[in-house]
Amino acid sequence: MAFKLTFYGGAESVTGSNFLVQGTKGKVLVDCGMEQGRDFCQECMYEPFAYDVKEVDALIITHAHLDHIGRAPKLVREGFRGKVYMTPPTRDLMELILRDSVHILAEEAKKIKVSPLYDEKDLNLLLDLVELVPYNKEWEAAPGISAILRNTGHILGSGSVRLTDEDGTTLALTGDIGNSPTPLLPDAVAVPDADAMVIESVYGDRLHDTKDVRVDRLRDAINKAVAKDGVVLIPAFSMERTQLMLYELSNLMEAKEIPEIPVYLDSPLAIAVTEVYEKWAKEYFKNGVQTELAKEGSLFRFPFLSMTRDREESESIRKTKGSKIIIAGAGMSHGGRIGKHEALYLPDPHTTLLVVGYQAPRSPGRRLVDGAKSVRLDGRDVTVNATVEMFGGWSAHADRDGLLEYAKKALPRTKTFFVALGEPASARFLAQRIHGFLGVKAIVPTQDETWEITKEGVKKV
Ligand SMILES: [Zn+2]
C-alpha cells in the first residue's frame, strides 16, 4: 500500500486548497479552503464535497488564510467529526477569519437563494474539534498516519505538513511558503524527508523586489505623496501584510525618514488580527526582533496610529485634512472599507495607491494595477487619476527563486514534486524549472486527479 493523493482543490488554481491523502489505514485531509476570485463557479461552492466527509479521520490546517480554511465549517456541517489539527496561532486567527465571514456568507446565500455555506453553530462545532500541535513535533494524526508541522514563515502560525504512512512512505504538502527572510517571522524550515512534495506556486514565474528596496520604495512613495499633500491608500490583507506595514511605518517614523502624519488602521478584522500577533509575538517571532519587542511591548503601535473599529470612526477619517495613510481591507479592493476610501480618493490626482499583495485575475485590485482608468468600486464606476504603485517585495509568498531554493532543500530524498496552488502558467513555469534545474520529476496536477505515491515513485490512478 502507499499514499493516494487526490487534488480536490488548489490544482491549477491559487485558491481552494483541499488535498485528500489516503494511507494504508487512515484518511487525512490537508486544508479545506474557499475558492476566491471571479474565475470559479460561485454556486459550486455550495455543492457537497466530492468525497465522503464522514470517512475522513482528520483535517490538518496549514495556515489561517481563507483559501485554506474557508470550507472547514462546511465539512462539519456535512457530518465530519474527526480531529482538526493546527498550531495555536492558526487556531486564534482561524476563529477571527471564519467568524468574520459568517454574516457575509449569510448575505451571499440569501442573494442566490440557497442556505448559507455554514453558520455560527457549524463554526463552534469545528472549534470544539480542534487539537493544537506545536511545530517540529510528530504526532499520530490518523490511524497509521503520523504528521509533523514545520514553520513556513508565510503568516503567523503557518506550517508545511509532512505525513508518514505506517509503511514508511512520506509525503509533504507545503501550504504557502513565506518570502523569507522577513522582519517578523523566522525563515521557512526545509523539508528534507519526503518522498514526494506538493509545492505551492503563486509566484512560480515571477521575481519580487529585493527586500532592502522594499522599504526604500515605501519611504519614497510616502514622501512623494506628502510633498503633494496627497492621501496614501494601502489595501491590505488583514494578516501579516498589515502587521508588516505597521512595523515598517513605525520604524520609518521613529527614524524620521517619513514625516509624522496620521496613519489609520481602518479594519476591525485587521485590528483583531494585530492583537493575535501581539499575543504570540514572544513565542513565534524571530530572535532578531525580541529585544525591540521587550523594550517597546508591541511592534505595531506608534503615536500617530489610530485603530478605527467603529463605522463612525471610519467615516470621520475623511475629515482629517492633508496627508494621511489609510490601511484598510479588502486586499484586492473587492469591497470592504478600502472600496469606500478608493471611491472617494482615486479620482484625485494627488492620491497614491500602494498595492502590496497578490491580485487575482479580474479583481478590482488587478485592474487598478493593470492601469484601468475607471474601476467599479463601492457600487459605482470610479475614475482613476491617482498614482498606482505595485510593490512586489511585500508579498507573503516566496518568489520563483525562493520556491526553487525551497524545492532544492528537499533533495535528494524528494523524487517527485506536484506543483499546485498557482495559476496554470505559473505552476507550469515552476515545474519546468524544478525539472530543468533539479533534474527531478515535476507534475502539474489537474482538479480531481488522484496519484499513488510510494517510496519508489508516483503513478496516476
Ligand atoms: Zn496563504
Side-chain angles (χ1 to χ4, degrees):
M1 194 43 193
F3 277 135
K4 261 191 202 153
L5 161 67
T6 308
F7 295 84
Y8 283 112
E12 295 187 297
S13 158
V14 169
T15 66
S17 180
N18 193 216
F19 309 100
L20 185 65
V21 183
Q22 185 177 350
T24 307
K25 291 195 188 117
K27 257 187 199 174
V28 170
L29 200 59
V30 175
D31 287 343
C32 198
M34 197 85 92
E35 288 186 316
Q36 293 166 301
R38 296 190 184 171
D39 263 352
F40 74 98
C41 128
Q42 181 87 20
E43 287 79 19
C44 300
M45 215 164 64
Y46 294 88
E47 286 172 8
F49 288 98
Y51 43 88
D52 186 352
V53 303
K54 294 190 182 107
E55 279 187 9
V56 177
D57 298 297
L59 166 65
I60 303 177
I61 299 288
T62 61
H63 65 287
H65 272 147
L66 203 57
D67 55 332
H68 295 256
I69 59 169
R71 285 185 299 163
K74 174 175 158 63
L75 205 65
V76 171
R77 197 183 182 98
E78 288 189 21
F80 167 80
R81 291 295 180 272
K83 292 262 164 46
V84 183
Y85 297 104
M86 64 194 72
T87 62
T90 299
R91 151 85 184 60
D92 288 353
L93 295 172
M94 179 179 87
E95 179 168 5
L96 288 178
I97 301 296
L98 293 180
R99 279 211 197 287
D100 185 67
S101 51
V102 166
H103 66 278
I104 303 167
L105 288 170
E107 275 168 33
E108 246 177 45
K110 218 190 274 169
K111 248 188 257 165
I112 56 173
K113 297 191 175 65
V114 293
S115 65
L117 204 61
Y118 61 84
D119 55 25
E120 206 84 40
K121 213 173 84 230
D122 304 312
L123 174 55
N124 291 337
L125 194 50
L126 173 76
L127 292 168
D128 285 345
L129 300 174
V130 170
E131 300 256 321
L132 301 177
V133 283
Y135 287 137
N136 308 321
K137 192 164 184 288
E138 200 159 10
W139 83 97
E140 193 76 16
I145 300 178
S146 61
I148 184 167
L149 292 176
R150 292 175 174 118
N151 170 42
T152 55
H154 168 60
I155 61 168
L156 179 69
S158 67
S160 64
V161 191
R162 195 218 42 187
L163 302 170
T164 307
D165 190 58
E166 61 177 21
D167 77 349
T169 308
T170 51
L171 167 66
L173 301 100
T174 65
D176 289 343
I177 301 166
N179 187 15
S180 301
T182 68
L184 302 177
L185 300 177
D187 293 359
V189 173
V191 180
D193 46 12
D195 298 314
M197 178 180 280
V198 178
I199 188 168
E200 69 116 319
S201 59
V202 174
Y203 287 97
D205 60 352
R206 276 161 290 172
L207 286 172
H208 296 323
D209 289 347
T210 56
K211 308 225 164 63
D212 35 326
V213 174
R214 171 177 79 185
V215 178
D216 292 348
R217 283 191 67 191
L218 175 69
R219 185 192 52 219
D220 293 350
I222 291 172
N223 284 330
K224 250 191 253 163
V226 173
K228 55 183 178 183
D229 211 22
V231 173
V232 178
L233 297 178
I234 309 177
F237 295 88
S238 47
M239 266 184 285
E240 198 69 25
R241 224 75 46 82
T242 292
Q243 290 72 37
L244 202 54
M245 187 56 73
L246 293 176
Y247 176 67
E248 299 294 12
L249 288 174
S250 154
N251 288 345
L252 286 171
M253 277 194 192
E254 209 181 296
K256 308 232 177 297
E257 291 189 34
I258 57 171
E260 291 171 327
I261 55 170
V263 178
Y264 297 94
L265 178 58
D266 188 29
S267 157
L269 180 62
I271 294 167
V273 167
T274 302
E275 285 165 358
V276 173
Y277 268 67
E278 287 173 329
K279 173 181 170 187
W280 294 105
K282 232 173 130 182
E283 210 172 319
Y284 283 82
F285 283 8
K286 68 200 286 182
N287 288 336
V289 293
Q290 291 298 339
T291 319
E292 198 182 342
L293 184 66
K295 204 176 97 203
E296 293 176 13
S298 169
L299 300 178
F300 310 122
R301 291 175 198 254
F302 48 97
F304 290 82
L305 172 69
S306 309
M307 296 195 174
T308 46
R309 252 178 240 269
D310 305 340
R311 194 172 293 269
E312 299 81 65
E313 287 177 313
S314 170
E315 279 162 9
S316 69
I317 293 174
R318 66 179 60 187
K319 291 185 200 142
T320 310
K321 296 274 176 279
S323 283
K324 57 196 165 193
I325 300 170
I326 306 171
I327 306 170
M332 298 186 204
S333 301
H334 49 290
R337 290 186 181 176
I338 196 69
K340 291 197 192 315
H341 295 302
E342 285 174 338
L344 180 66
Y345 292 112
L346 288 185
D348 182 351
H350 299 100
T351 301
T352 305
L353 178 77
L354 301 184
V355 179
V356 293
Y358 170 80
Q359 304 295 314
R362 291 198 282 284
S363 62
R366 175 72 76 98
R367 298 203 55 230
L368 286 164
V369 170
D370 288 344
K373 285 287 153 228
S374 171
V375 172
R376 198 154 179 87
L377 292 161
D378 199 30
R380 56 195 153 116
D381 292 319
V382 175
T383 307
V384 183
N385 294 315
T387 305
V388 179
E389 293 209 44
M390 174 79 195
F391 284 4
W394 290 84
S395 172
H397 289 268
D399 66 9
R400 67 172 208 209
D401 287 353
L403 290 169
L404 192 68
E405 197 52 39
Y406 186 93
K408 196 174 165 191
K409 289 182 186 150
L411 303 184
R413 173 79 179 263
T414 304
K415 301 283 187 299
T416 310
F417 288 87
F418 294 98
V419 184
L421 299 170
E423 288 171 29
S426 180
R428 277 195 285 273
F429 191 84
L430 181 64
Q432 274 165 15
R433 278 170 56 98
I434 288 176
H435 178 69
F437 286 103
L438 308 181
V440 290
K441 203 167 179 173
I443 295 158
V444 179
T446 56
Q447 175 80 7
D448 298 332
E449 223 170 66
T450 299
W451 288 79
E452 193 179 88
I453 296 153
T454 63
K455 276 173 262 183
E456 287 69 43
V458 304
K459 197 168 74 195
K460 197 161 149 190
V461 178

